[in-house]
Amino acid sequence: MKVNWPKPSDKKSFASDNNSGIHPKILAGLSSANTGQYVSYGDDPYTSEAIKVFKLLLGKKTDPYIVYNGTGANVTGLGCLLHSFESIIACDSSHINCDECGSPEHILRSKIQTIPNTNGKLTVNQIKPFLEIIGDEHHTQPKVISITQATELGTVYTTKEIKAICKLAHSNNMYVHMDGARIANACIALDKTCKELTFDCGIDVLSFGGTKNGMAYGEAVIFSNSNISEYARFYRKQNTQLASKMRYISAQFLAYFENDLWLSNALNANETAKYLEEKIKDSFPQFKLTQNVETNAIFIQIPKDIALKMQDLAFFYPWSIEDNEYRWMTSFETTKKDVDDFIAKMQKTC
């Protein structure tokens, strides 16, 4: 059979950090796992070493599990914390609520109780009223507070904010889950280690992202201790997240962590976002930024007719059509030249 391969593209966009390729060092790590034969389902030296590295990074008592993707990580992690009559408190803008096709509710049969976000975040005062129904058999019982770091709006929770949420949760016999699809970007933004931003603050489960920051695919679910991960192996398998050739994910993580590549990737993404923000303020003061640029996301209001022309130059997504709000994202491979070229094209269009 003849196959028509698409032509390689050098086109750049600001649509999503998911659109970027694989970092060359990670691709080399992936290739290194392709020599010889190894026992499947995680009983291989690459996975053993990746688990050791996660423990060094996040604490020796933590219990890591390698999975395929972010939705799988969230569902697997949450599944170990919930009964079907228990619920998850989350932002209305959270990925588990908006972008996972109802997976947590469909697979776990647990309700998500949403709260209007404050710049992408939850606050303790917003959560407290939901706790008044604890013990009432007529209501689903709040059991997990899920926060996202960095948030869907590119903002970040401070350690003080996370500790306050964890204190509230634990004092009410609840857990805290963190969706860390862009945890590296948050570490850079706050100049904190991953451990300082997660388990040192008291969270119970972390979905640790890699795909958005230079990996081909692969995430991890990390529990604060083995007491709450008793059934994690089974949830991972039941949720179709147990990779038979797990070494290909684990080898990527080894390259990801080596010489702190994951942090340098996130640093570039954050810095080029700030560079783009500065260029926009200088060149297009009529455009309104709707969020502080804290990581690698820019939210901006642009007249619709201008935005449509700009999307033909370098594609990006609408965020709120009603408000003419759009999202631009940078990644590990975005350069200042990419930004300059984008600005120059916009100047010709606008």
Side-chain angles (χ1 to χ4, degrees), residues 177-223:
H177 162 260
M178 179 181 285
D179 182 343
R182 295 185 177 94
I183 188 67
N185 303 89
C187 290
I188 292 296
L190 293 165
D191 193 24
K192 298 288 185 181
T193 68
C194 193
K195 185 171 180 287
E196 288 172 334
L197 271 186
T198 57
F199 298 110
D200 284 357
C201 289
I203 73 157
D204 300 288
V205 182
L206 169 66
S207 296
F208 186 98
T211 309
K212 292 177 169 61
N213 196 34
M215 286 175 54
Y217 61 95
E219 320 280 311
V221 185
I222 303 152
F223 298 85

Side-chain angles (χ1 to χ4, degrees), residues 96-111:
I96 60 171
N97 182 54
C98 296
D99 296 292
E100 297 185 354
C101 201
S103 284
E105 292 171 313
H106 173 67
I107 296 173
L108 305 179
R109 297 180 298 142
S110 291
K111 183 180 180 62

Side-chain angles (χ1 to χ4, degrees), residues 2 6 33 92 130 160 181 191 228 249 258 272 296 303 310 348:
K2 180 177 173 57
D92 56 354
F130 285 79
K160 182 179 179 180
D191 193 24
I228 58 175
I249 305 177
E258 189 170 36
T272 49
N296 65 322
M310 290 166 57
K348 290 180 181 179

Side-chain angles (χ1 to χ4, degrees), residues 7 74 115 170 172 174-175 193 211 282 289 291-292 305:
K7 293 180 180 179
N74 288 336
I115 295 175
H170 297 157
N172 286 278
M174 296 173 66
Y175 296 109
T193 68
T211 309
D282 291 341
L289 293 164
Q291 296 291 333
N292 290 331
D305 58 332

Side-chain angles (χ1 to χ4, degrees), residues 5-264:
W5 284 85
K7 293 180 180 179
S9 172
D10 60 358
K11 186 176 181 181
K12 297 292 180 70
S13 78
F14 291 88
S16 173
D17 39 12
N18 276 326
N19 290 19
S20 293
I22 309 170
H23 191 283
K25 291 182 179 179
I26 295 175
L27 189 59
L30 182 61
S31 181
S32 74
N34 203 36
T35 302
Q37 295 188 354
Y38 298 91
V39 178
S40 57
Y41 297 109
D43 291 325
D44 62 86
Y46 291 93
T47 301
S48 296
E49 187 61 28
I51 289 171
K52 288 179 185 176
V53 174
F54 271 117
K55 286 177 173 284
L56 284 172
L57 185 74
L58 295 166
K60 62 182 180 180
K61 291 184 179 180
T62 58
D63 193 16
Y65 294 81
I66 306 294
V67 297
Y68 282 115
N69 57 39
T71 298
N74 288 336
V75 172
T76 300
L78 290 166
C80 293
L81 309 178
L82 290 160
H83 292 101
S84 59
F85 56 84
E86 294 171 327
S87 61
I88 306 158
I89 296 174
C91 274
D92 56 354
S93 59
S94 65
H95 203 270
I96 60 171
N97 182 54
C98 296
D99 296 292
E100 297 185 354
C101 201
S103 284
E105 292 171 313
H106 173 67
I107 296 173
L108 305 179
R109 297 180 298 142
S110 291
K111 183 180 180 62
I112 298 176
Q113 295 180 295
T114 59
I115 295 175
N117 73 87
T118 303
N119 297 323
K121 298 189 284 185
L122 294 178
T123 68
V124 166
N125 287 337
Q126 287 176 309
I127 296 168
K128 283 181 178 178
F130 285 79
L131 308 185
E132 295 174 3
I133 59 172
I134 291 177
D136 188 334
E137 66 191 83
H138 298 284
H139 298 275
T140 56
Q141 295 296 288
K143 191 63 180 180
V144 180
I145 301 169
S146 181
I147 61 176
T148 307
Q149 182 78 310
T151 73
E152 262 64 48
L153 298 184
T155 53
V156 289
Y157 286 91
T158 64
T159 53
K160 182 179 179 180
E161 289 170 327
I162 299 169
K163 287 177 181 178
I165 289 172
C166 290
K167 182 179 179 180
L168 177 68
H170 297 157
S171 64
N172 286 278
N173 194 32
M174 296 173 66
Y175 296 109
V176 177
H177 162 260
M178 179 181 285
D179 182 343
R182 295 185 177 94
I183 188 67
N185 303 89
C187 290
I188 292 296
L190 293 165
D191 193 24
K192 298 288 185 181
T193 68
C194 193
K195 185 171 180 287
E196 288 172 334
L197 271 186
T198 57
F199 298 110
D200 284 357
C201 289
I203 73 157
D204 300 288
V205 182
L206 169 66
S207 296
F208 186 98
T211 309
K212 292 177 169 61
N213 196 34
M215 286 175 54
Y217 61 95
E219 320 280 311
V221 185
I222 303 152
F223 298 85
S224 60
N225 60 73
S226 57
N227 292 331
I228 58 175
S229 60
E230 181 181 2
Y231 302 114
R233 292 183 303 137
F234 306 104
Y235 272 111
R236 178 172 64 173
K237 177 65 175 181
Q238 192 177 64
N239 292 334
T240 72
Q241 290 294 311
L242 179 63
S244 58
K245 296 184 179 180
M246 196 180 296
R247 68 184 187 270
Y248 291 105
I249 305 177
S250 301
Q252 291 181 74
F253 272 122
L254 295 182
Y256 190 61
F257 291 129
E258 189 170 36
N259 298 321
D260 288 335
L261 177 64
W262 68 297
L263 294 176
S264 60

